[in-house]
Amino acid sequence: MIIHPTENTPGINKLSHIAFIMDGNGRWATRRGMPREYGHTIGAKVFRRVAEYCFRGGIDIVTVYAFSTENWSRPKREVDAIMNVFGSYLKMGLTDMAKDDICVRFLGEKTPFAPETRELMERLETESLGNRYKLNIAVNYGGRAEIVNAVNRLIASGAREVSEESLSSAIYTAGQPDPDLIVRCGGEVRLSNFLMWQSVYSELYFTDTLWPDLTDNEIDKAVENYYHRKRRFGKV
Ligand code: FPP
């Protein structure tokens, strides 16, 4: 169970936004003698469970890194498999998100997706707008591209210079607080172009656990670790 401290200690931010780098699906499947694509099918199921667990645990915003701008260069068979899993998720999402009070936002340019996928993404965003819990899915996402895109949008709207405030209002997560905690599965210790603008003050938690193996218990551990670090900072 996710436990938030009850005392109001200066220096402790309530964990309201958690982000995940869902790494390790391919290795998880290979270790079981299965094709990498199978790992993504299971990864998508875990994604749903993790998001629901976080929302039930009082976290308002969950962001996941599902597909980077670089992932398009994987073998076509794997890209197609991820797109299929993503497509089924979108169809399911259209019925489930309203029921679960979840507002979905896609972080990334939609142009490279197939027209029917784009339409589903747009419908899901529009139909879930205003729901209580915020679920950001980074697809075709790159942190640097997001910043460049935001600057270009500001220039196109007539700006001659940008500020931290104007840039924050032009990125994909506009209007939302930055992630308090970023959890990366799969053993790599880097951010891989994820939330470059938003992550400057985020606490980072790295685990060797492969994404499909991520348990509720390990999420609890990451959250506990987050509050522990903040507590120590408060005392310093
Ligand atoms: C990283 O593991 C995972 C991906 C690049 C794809 C993640 C996609 C999904 C979970 C399914 C679609 C998404 C949603 C939101 C329904 P990896 O393949 O890089 O694993 P490896 O490091 O073991 O090779």
Side-chain angles (χ1 to χ4, degrees):
M1 198 174 82
I2 292 176
I3 299 173
H4 304 275
T6 45
E7 76 267 38
N8 185 12
T9 312
I12 300 180
N13 269 349
K14 184 190 176 265
L15 176 57
S16 73
H17 183 174
I18 186 166
F20 293 94
I21 300 181
M22 310 189 285
D23 202 8
N25 292 344
R27 276 169 288 163
W28 183 89
T30 308
R31 282 178 198 173
R32 283 162 179 76
M34 300 294 282
R36 291 175 54 82
E37 294 75 21
Y38 178 65
H40 299 311
T41 305
I42 302 300
K45 291 199 168 94
V46 171
F47 148 76
R48 283 174 66 94
R49 173 178 53 75
V50 167
E52 280 163 19
Y53 184 69
C54 292
F55 291 139
R56 268 204 318 274
I59 295 171
D60 302 319
I61 308 174
V62 174
T63 300
V64 293
Y65 201 3
F67 196 78
S68 72
T69 42
E70 291 77 29
N71 287 153
W72 292 107
S73 53
R74 290 189 177 204
K76 183 175 178 319
R77 177 186 146 145
E78 185 170 341
V79 173
D80 288 349
I82 295 175
M83 288 304 140
N84 275 338
V85 173
F86 184 51
S88 326
Y89 168 80
L90 290 173
K91 284 180 195 134
M92 207 158 30
L94 279 167
T95 47
D96 286 3
M97 293 302 141
K99 177 169 64 69
D100 296 337
D101 210 1
I102 295 172
C103 166
V104 180
R105 192 188 289 194
F106 295 100
L107 317 183
E109 283 309 297
K110 297 187 183 72
T111 343
F113 293 98
E116 62 165 18
T117 307
R118 281 176 62 171
E119 198 196 311
L120 282 171
M121 290 164 83
E122 276 153 17
R123 261 187 67 196
L124 191 48
E125 283 184 327
T126 313
E127 291 182 18
S128 68
L129 205 66
N131 285 348
R132 157 96 176 70
Y133 301 103
K134 312 295 174 205
L135 177 61
N136 300 321
I137 306 177
V139 275
N140 185 37
Y141 177 85
R144 286 186 177 178
E146 174 180 38
I147 296 168
V148 170
N149 180 285
V151 172
N152 283 330
R153 281 179 48 203
L154 291 168
I155 291 170
S157 69
R160 295 180 58 201
E161 57 182 42
V162 299
S163 63
E164 291 194 15
E165 286 70 30
S166 67
L167 214 132
S168 293
S169 71
I171 54 174
Y172 298 123
T173 54
Q176 297 182 352
D178 291 337
D180 300 298
L181 173 64
I182 299 179
V183 175
R184 179 170 190 152
C185 290
E188 308 292 354
V189 186
R190 56 173 173 262
L191 286 178
S192 300
N193 206 11
F194 185 47
L195 304 178
M196 288 293 90
W197 179 264
Q198 300 88 333
S199 64
V200 283
Y201 291 114
S202 304
E203 295 296 325
L204 308 178
Y205 182 89
F206 298 97
T207 170
D208 288 336
T209 303
L210 304 177
W211 174 257
D213 287 328
L214 187 72
T215 58
D216 295 350
N217 195 33
E218 185 147 19
I219 299 171
D220 296 348
K221 258 173 60 188
V223 171
E224 195 188 325
N225 188 283
Y226 164 82
Y227 281 118
H228 180 66
R229 288 191 217 174
K230 292 281 171 172
R231 233 168 228 149
R232 281 213 317 240
F233 263 164
K235 280 177 189 162
V236 171

